[in-house]
Amino acid sequence: MRAYLLRPVDTFFFRDHKPFSMGEEAKATGWFPPRPGTVYGALRSAYIHRYGDFSSFYEGRDPEIRRWMGTPEAVGDFSIRAVWLHDAQGAVLPLPLDYQVVKEEDKEKGHPLILTQEKEKGHWASDGTQWRLYASEDRKSASAADAYLGESEWREKAAFHRNISSIARAERWLQKEPKIGIARDAQTMRAKEGMLYQLPMHRFREEQGKSDTGLLVLCDRSPSFDDIRYVLLGGEGRPWHLTPLQRERLLYSEEEEEQLIQQIREREMARIILLTPAIWKRGTRPACYDETTQELHLPGDLRVKLLTAAVGRPLVIGGWDMKKNRPKPRKLAVPAGSVLVVKVKGQQADQLVRTIHSMKLTDELGHEGYGCAVCGVLTTQKERG
């Protein structure tokens, strides 16, 4: 598995889907982290620019570029597995959404939501299921969306549905640095009246360590980017350093994966946790979901019963079509951190874990890094008392 670290040279921002035109809207809006497809497109463009040109790419003349980056009509072999925030301690992962976040003094803590069966609700609930996820703490809660954990704590706590003592927000790594400007006439170079604008620029906090803080890109299939030092990424095409990293596995060690399998086998229940956004044709359920049987039909003829889900608000996925010089059609995606809770036979635990860890749980754009998922252990009401 090839891995790369993208580090901004200066400030950066990532535009959202809302319209912004100088003179009409005074302030642009953005989001962080960027969508995986944004990073995929930036790396794709950097490779084409380094080893060829966009004319040959559009026409498919260069065989090596066509092999890896495809053509405007077809996807090449280049495939991203995941895009995550990264700091000096390693990858930074989204908090699973089956956690209750409670603020205590100056920090936020995470308590697992408890799976509870309520047979009477299966008859009138909109999703037709008898299972619900309930908070374990009778206290005011904060949103579990846009919350993060370092990967070591994620593997130790979030993967096994344990209490989390401290949760971080993006502000821990980011500081805002708004940019104010005004449009100028191209001929006279004078400022245009009424064309003041503001962009939500960001930079990584210096205390986090500039050499380690950035975006981690994990690739399933990839050419070497070792000769490419810079990538233009985000609004205004800001330059980012591109550095190869050593990383052999996606997330879990072999021992951790075996521990997961053992606990899932004993409980006969599991969590499927998205670590990047996913595009699901059924909205909050993937296309492999059978509404009649309430089962997920997974590769290898594996079927598991979907009990319930913790899914966040949808994200807008867009982009720019360089050849047609127009926006790409917009899609909706479920956010990273979303969780599917499934019932699995004990003898199928090994197959479930290895299947989820080897596939992309998305109905579209899997090659761009959407649908990266892992399995996790589930805490039941009986275990929590």
Side-chain angles (χ1 to χ4, degrees):
M1 176 180 289
R2 292 183 184 271
Y4 295 94
L5 179 63
L6 282 164
R7 294 178 293 114
V9 173
D10 196 6
T11 55
F12 59 88
F13 82 105
F14 296 99
R15 279 280 310 275
D16 60 15
H17 60 284
K18 298 177 182 178
F20 170 68
S21 299
M22 290 180 290
E24 299 177 10
E25 299 288 338
K27 184 178 181 180
T29 53
W31 49 38
F32 185 88
R35 308 296 191 240
T38 302
V39 177
Y40 172 87
L43 289 173
R44 192 185 192 199
S45 296
Y47 185 87
I48 295 169
H49 181 74
R50 173 64 179 82
Y51 295 106
D53 57 65
F54 284 96
S55 295
S56 61
F57 165 69
Y58 293 147
E59 298 172 10
R61 296 196 306 264
D62 189 304
E64 197 66 11
I65 291 179
R66 187 171 65 249
R67 173 199 170 191
W68 287 110
M69 304 303 161
T71 66
E73 291 76 28
V75 176
D77 289 341
F78 177 45
S79 175
I80 287 179
R81 181 68 174 175
V83 179
W84 297 327
L85 182 61
H86 186 277
D87 64 13
Q89 282 69 51
V92 179
L93 306 177
L95 177 73
L97 296 181
D98 59 349
Y99 268 87
Q100 176 190 11
V101 178
V102 176
K103 190 170 184 178
E104 296 184 6
E105 297 178 353
D106 60 342
K107 62 181 179 180
E108 292 180 315
K109 295 185 177 182
H111 302 279
L113 297 182
I114 306 304
L115 181 68
T116 305
Q117 186 177 22
E118 299 177 332
K119 294 183 179 181
E120 69 280 2
K121 292 188 177 179
H123 300 292
W124 53 263
S126 60
D127 57 3
T129 181
Q130 303 174 1
W131 298 89
R132 294 290 181 270
L133 290 167
Y134 286 118
S136 59
E137 300 288 325
D138 186 15
R139 303 164 63 182
K140 184 177 181 180
S141 303
S143 173
D146 302 317
Y148 299 91
L149 285 177
E151 67 171 311
S152 59
E153 188 173 15
W154 201 101
R155 296 199 311 266
E156 178 185 353
K157 301 290 181 62
F160 294 93
H161 222 201
R162 297 166 179 157
N163 287 330
I164 298 171
S165 59
S166 182
I167 292 169
R169 300 290 179 175
E171 290 74 22
R172 174 177 173 180
W173 296 272
L174 293 180
Q175 64 183 35
K176 295 182 180 180
E177 194 170 300
K179 171 186 174 182
I180 297 177
I182 191 166
R184 294 191 300 180
D185 186 281
Q187 295 181 338
T188 65
M189 298 306 291
R190 292 181 177 179
K192 292 184 177 180
E193 185 177 353
M195 299 294 276
L196 183 71
Y197 65 92
Q198 180 177 333
L199 297 179
M201 308 299 291
H202 291 93
R203 69 168 71 243
F204 289 120
R205 296 185 184 277
E206 293 186 7
E207 57 266 27
Q208 295 296 332
K210 285 187 175 181
S211 61
D212 299 298
T213 307
L215 298 174
L216 173 64
V217 185
L218 302 176
C219 303
D220 281 326
R221 298 182 301 276
S222 170
S224 174
F225 286 88
D226 294 356
D227 291 340
I228 300 175
R229 296 183 58 192
Y230 295 96
V231 172
L232 301 182
L233 176 63
E236 298 187 336
R238 293 299 183 101
W240 291 58
H241 293 285
L242 182 65
T243 307
L245 293 180
Q246 294 294 325
R247 192 180 179 101
E248 296 181 359
R249 300 179 66 84
L250 175 69
L251 182 60
Y252 299 130
S253 66
E254 291 183 6
E255 293 76 15
E256 289 168 333
E257 197 169 80
E258 287 299 329
Q259 188 178 358
L260 277 172
I261 293 171
Q262 180 60 32
Q263 294 198 27
I264 291 172
R265 183 181 295 121
E266 294 171 357
R267 290 168 168 79
E268 293 195 328
M269 290 185 182
R271 299 149 68 218
I272 300 174
I273 309 166
L274 284 176
L275 296 181
T276 63
I279 301 170
W280 289 347
K281 291 184 178 179
R282 295 182 179 273
T284 59
R285 303 290 187 269
C288 64
Y289 176 64
D290 187 325
E291 291 184 354
T292 303
T293 63
Q294 296 184 337
E295 292 178 327
L296 296 177
H297 293 205
L298 300 173
D301 200 28
L302 175 63
R303 297 190 179 190
V304 293
K305 182 74 173 288
L306 178 61
L307 300 180
T308 189
V311 179
R313 292 181 178 179
L315 309 176
V316 177
I317 305 297
W320 188 263
D321 189 317
M322 294 186 298
K323 184 176 182 181
K324 297 179 181 179
N325 195 31
R326 67 183 186 190
K328 295 179 181 179
R330 291 178 178 176
K331 305 176 185 295
L332 292 179
V334 294
S338 295
V339 178
L340 300 178
V341 180
V342 299
K343 177 76 173 175
V344 57
K345 296 178 181 178
Q347 65 269 27
Q348 294 179 318
D350 185 286
Q351 184 183 3
L352 174 67
V353 171
R354 303 196 190 284
T355 297
I356 294 299
H357 291 186
S358 63
M359 67 178 291
K360 300 281 187 65
L361 191 58
T362 185
D363 299 324
E364 296 181 51
L365 304 181
H367 62 285
E368 294 187 6
Y370 293 94
C372 176
V374 295
C375 285
V377 173
L378 177 74
T379 297
T380 64
Q381 187 178 35
K382 183 178 180 180
E383 290 173 310
R384 298 289 295 183

